[in-house]
Amino acid sequence: MRNTCLNIIPSVVQTFDHDDFFARRCIWVNGPVIVGAGPSGLAVGAGLKKQGVPFIILERANCIASLWKNRTYDRLKLHLPKQFCQLPYFPFPEDFPEYPTKRQFISYLESYAEHFDISPHFNETVQSAKYDETFGLWRVKTIRETSSNSNLIGDYQVEYICRWLVVATGENAEKVVPEFEGFEEFGGHVIHVCDYKSGKRYCGKRVLVVGCGNSGMEVSLDLCSHEAEPSMVVRDSVHVLPREVMGKSTFELAVLLMKRLPLWLVDKILLILAWLILGNVEKYGLRRPSIGPLQLKNSAGKTPVLDIGALQKIRSGEIKVVPGVKRFFPGRVELVNGDHIEIDSVILATGYRSNVPSWLKENDFFSQDGIPKNSFPNGWKGKAGLYAVGFTRRGLSGASLDAISVAHDISKSWKEERMLFYFLFFIFFVSIFVSLVSRLISQIEISLCREVRTQEKGTYNTQNLALS
C-alpha cells in the first residue's frame, strides 16, 4: 500500500539516509488517511479497496482491533446475532455460532484484513489533525514508535498531508474512570473492566462491580462462576431485556417490528415481552427508565442490557444489587442509602468515551464529547473532506452502513479529481505540443524566408554582372 499511495516530497530524499530523513519529513497521501484500525477503519478500507482508491490506516496499537484483543474479558461473546455484526462484503464463516465468541470475532477481523490486503501503520499515534484552509488539505501529525530493526532511537514524528480524513477511532477509545470520595483510601485491588480477563483471581473475594450495563452484568455473572461474591452497583434506571424471545433474537425481532410499527409501539411490545419472560425486575433493584429501550437508545445512546443469565443470579442472591456509592473507606464502601459493605476489590464497569476532542482540531462536526453532532444516518460526513465512522451508537451494523457511505463518497471525489488531473495534464501536453509545433513552423518559415532572400540576392548579383 505504501508504494501506491505515498508520494515523498521532495525527490532529493534519495540522497539522504531513508530512515533518518523520514523522521522529519512530510508525506503526501494520494487518498484518505484513516485513523483507527478497528472494525470501522477496516470496513472503510475494504470499501476503498474495492473502488481502487489508495489509502493508509494509522493505528496507535500494535494490532488491528486492539479493543477486542486487549481490552475485553475472556467470556465475551457478540450480544447480537452474527448477521448483524458482519462487516461489508465479507460474511462470517458458516460454521460460526449465532453469537460468535471474542476469539472467533478477532479471527474474523484478521481474515477480513487479509482478504482485502489491508496493512495498517501500527504503533503510530495521532497527535493532532488540522485542516489547512490555505491549501485545502488536512495535516495529520503522528508519533511513531521505532521498531527494533530501525536505525532511529526513540519515537519520531511524521506529518501526513491529505485531501480526506476518516475518523474511525469509535465511541470506546478511552476508558471512563469516575472519581469517588475516599477512593485513594480504599487500599484494595481496583481495575477498570477493560483490564478484566476472568474471575479466577477473585475466587472467594468480595467484589464491588460499579456499573450495571452489559459489561457490568457479564462480569458479575463471570465472578459468580468463579465462586466470588459480587455486589453490583445500580445507580440509575436500566432496561433489561431477554436476549431471545421464543428462540429468536430480541434485536432481530425489534428490527422486524420497526419496519411496520412506530417506535413507541415497538417499545411497548418489547417491555411486555420482557415482563412476561423475566418478570418484574424492579423488585430486585433494577428500575426501568420512563421511556422505552429503543427510544432511550436513540436519544441518549444508552444500550439496553440483554440478559444472558445474570438475572437468575440476582434472583438467587448470588449477585447482590446495591445503590450508588457515596464514599470509600479502607476495606469497605459506604452506599448512598447509608449501608456499609466490606469489599476486597473493585471493578469499574463505567464505560468508555471518544478521544476525538484530544487530537482533532476542528469544532464544527464533533461535539465536546467526541460524537458527531448530526445523528444517524447523517453523522458520517462533515466539511472539507472530514468523515466519521463508528459513532452511530448502533453497533457494528451502524458502523458498516456508514463505512459503505464514506468509501463511496471518497471514491467518487477521488475519481473526479483524478479525471480532472488527467484532463489538465492532457491540456498541458496539448499546449506544449502546439507550442512545439508552432515553434517548428516558425523556424521552417524563417528558414524558407532566408532561402528566398539568398536566391533573390544571387539573382540580383548575376544581373549586375551581366549589365557590367
Side-chain angles (χ1 to χ4, degrees):
M1 175 58 64
R2 181 177 299 175
N3 293 333
T4 61
C5 71
L6 300 185
N7 295 325
I8 309 305
I9 316 173
S11 59
V12 293
V13 298
Q14 296 176 356
T15 62
F16 292 87
D17 177 76
H18 181 271
D19 285 337
D20 181 62
F21 188 82
F22 187 80
R24 58 179 186 270
R25 72 187 173 195
C26 294
I27 299 179
W28 165 253
V29 182
N30 182 26
V33 168
I34 303 170
V35 183
S40 298
L42 295 178
V44 176
L48 294 171
K49 275 281 187 177
K50 288 180 69 66
Q51 298 290 337
V53 179
F55 62 91
I56 64 168
I57 297 181
L58 303 176
E59 169 57 47
R60 63 180 177 177
N62 61 356
C63 60
I64 64 169
S66 61
L67 173 64
W68 284 88
K69 284 187 177 181
N70 304 326
R71 293 189 288 166
T72 52
Y73 37 94
D74 294 340
R75 67 167 290 140
L76 178 64
K77 293 183 179 181
L78 295 181
H79 293 139
L80 305 180
K82 61 183 180 181
Q83 64 266 31
F84 297 104
C85 300
Q86 63 190 22
L87 301 185
Y89 322 114
F90 194 77
F92 278 98
E94 292 184 1
D95 60 342
F96 272 31
E98 186 174 13
Y99 300 95
T101 66
K102 163 187 172 178
R103 296 186 184 279
Q104 288 173 325
F105 185 60
I106 292 172
S107 173
Y108 166 76
L109 294 178
E110 290 174 341
S111 299
Y112 190 88
E114 182 180 357
H115 177 78
F116 291 103
D117 191 25
I118 299 174
S119 301
H121 292 205
F122 295 122
N123 300 312
E124 192 156 0
T125 303
V126 174
Q127 298 294 300
S128 68
K130 184 177 181 180
Y131 184 70
D132 191 322
E133 295 184 0
T134 302
F135 297 100
L137 299 169
W138 284 94
R139 303 178 63 179
V140 184
K141 296 180 180 180
T142 70
I143 296 291
R144 179 182 296 184
E145 297 180 16
T146 56
S147 58
S148 58
N149 57 356
S150 173
N151 294 331
L152 297 172
I153 299 176
D155 301 339
Y156 62 105
Q157 296 183 352
V158 180
E159 182 173 12
Y160 297 93
I161 311 296
C162 59
R163 272 278 291 110
W164 304 277
L165 176 66
V166 181
V167 180
T169 49
E171 308 158 350
N172 303 319
E174 302 291 343
K175 62 186 178 183
V176 174
V177 179
E179 295 182 0
F180 295 105
E181 184 181 355
F183 210 11
E184 67 281 354
E185 302 174 13
F186 170 58
H189 181 255
V190 179
I191 63 169
H192 191 272
V193 71
C194 68
D195 299 312
Y196 178 89
K197 298 304 177 185
S198 78
K200 290 180 181 179
R201 65 169 297 171
Y202 298 97
C203 180
K205 302 289 186 181
R206 299 162 298 183
V207 185
L208 184 72
V209 180
V210 182
C212 60
N214 281 296
S215 295
M217 288 279 194
E218 284 198 42
V219 166
S220 298
L221 180 61
D222 189 56
L223 289 168
C224 284
S225 65
H226 288 90
E227 299 182 357
E229 300 175 20
S231 296
M232 184 174 65
V233 174
V234 181
R235 185 184 62 178
D236 300 319
S237 56
V238 58
H239 279 298
V240 181
L241 304 176
R243 186 170 71 170
E244 294 183 341
V245 176
M246 300 179 64
K248 195 176 191 64
S249 163
T250 302
F251 180 81
E252 185 176 1
L253 177 63
V255 170
L256 292 173
L257 291 175
M258 283 190 294
K259 292 180 179 179
R260 297 173 174 82
L261 302 173
L263 188 65
W264 67 268
L265 183 55
V266 177
D267 270 340
K268 292 290 185 184
I269 294 173
L270 291 179
L271 290 176
I272 292 172
L273 291 173
W275 186 83
L276 291 173
I277 296 172
L278 302 178
N280 180 15
V281 298
E282 294 197 5
K283 64 182 180 180
Y284 302 110
L286 302 173
R287 295 179 295 107
R288 289 197 182 278
S290 57
I291 61 176
L294 298 181
Q295 186 179 350
L296 185 63
K297 176 68 174 175
N298 286 345
S299 61
K302 192 173 182 180
T303 304
V305 173
L306 297 177
D307 179 57
I308 59 171
L311 194 57
Q312 182 180 351
K313 299 294 184 181
I314 292 173
R315 289 196 190 98
S316 67
E318 294 176 72
I319 297 176
K320 296 181 177 62
V321 175
V322 299
V325 172
K326 183 176 182 180
R327 68 156 296 158
F328 283 88
F329 295 93
R332 61 190 175 93
V333 62
E334 181 184 358
L335 304 175
V336 292
N337 63 357
D339 291 346
H340 288 251
I341 301 176
E342 293 186 355
I343 54 175
D344 302 303
S345 302
V346 176
I347 299 174
L348 299 172
T350 46
Y352 301 86
R353 61 176 173 82
S354 165
N355 70 355
V356 174
S358 68
W359 57 269
L360 182 62
K361 311 305 178 184
E362 183 273 338
N363 297 317
D364 293 334
F365 186 49
F366 283 88
S367 62
Q368 292 183 348
D369 59 357
I371 303 296
K373 294 179 180 179
N374 294 329
S375 59
F376 181 84
N378 301 313
W380 58 272
K381 184 177 181 179
K383 298 178 181 178
L386 178 63
Y387 298 88
V389 181
F391 297 89
T392 63
R393 291 173 173 169
R394 282 167 171 75
L396 293 166
S397 59
S400 295
L401 291 174
D402 278 356
I404 293 172
S405 299
V406 169
H408 176 76
D409 198 67
I410 292 177
S411 172
K412 181 181 177 182
S413 299
W414 184 82
K415 289 177 180 178
E416 288 175 352
E417 291 192 4
R418 194 179 185 191
M419 290 300 296
L420 178 60
F421 171 78
Y422 286 150
F423 175 74
L424 294 176
F425 181 79
F426 174 75
I427 296 299
F428 176 71
F429 178 79
V430 170
S431 64
I432 292 177
F433 178 76
V434 170
S435 176
L436 291 174
V437 171
S438 298
R439 288 188 62 184
L440 180 61
I441 292 173
S442 297
Q443 289 178 355
I444 292 173
E445 288 178 344
I446 292 172
S447 298
L448 289 175
C449 288
R450 287 176 179 173
E451 282 189 27
V452 170
R453 288 176 183 174
T454 301
Q455 290 176 0
E456 288 178 349
K457 187 176 182 180
T459 303
Y460 177 77
N461 291 336
T462 303
Q463 290 176 351
N464 286 340
L465 288 173
L467 291 173
S468 63

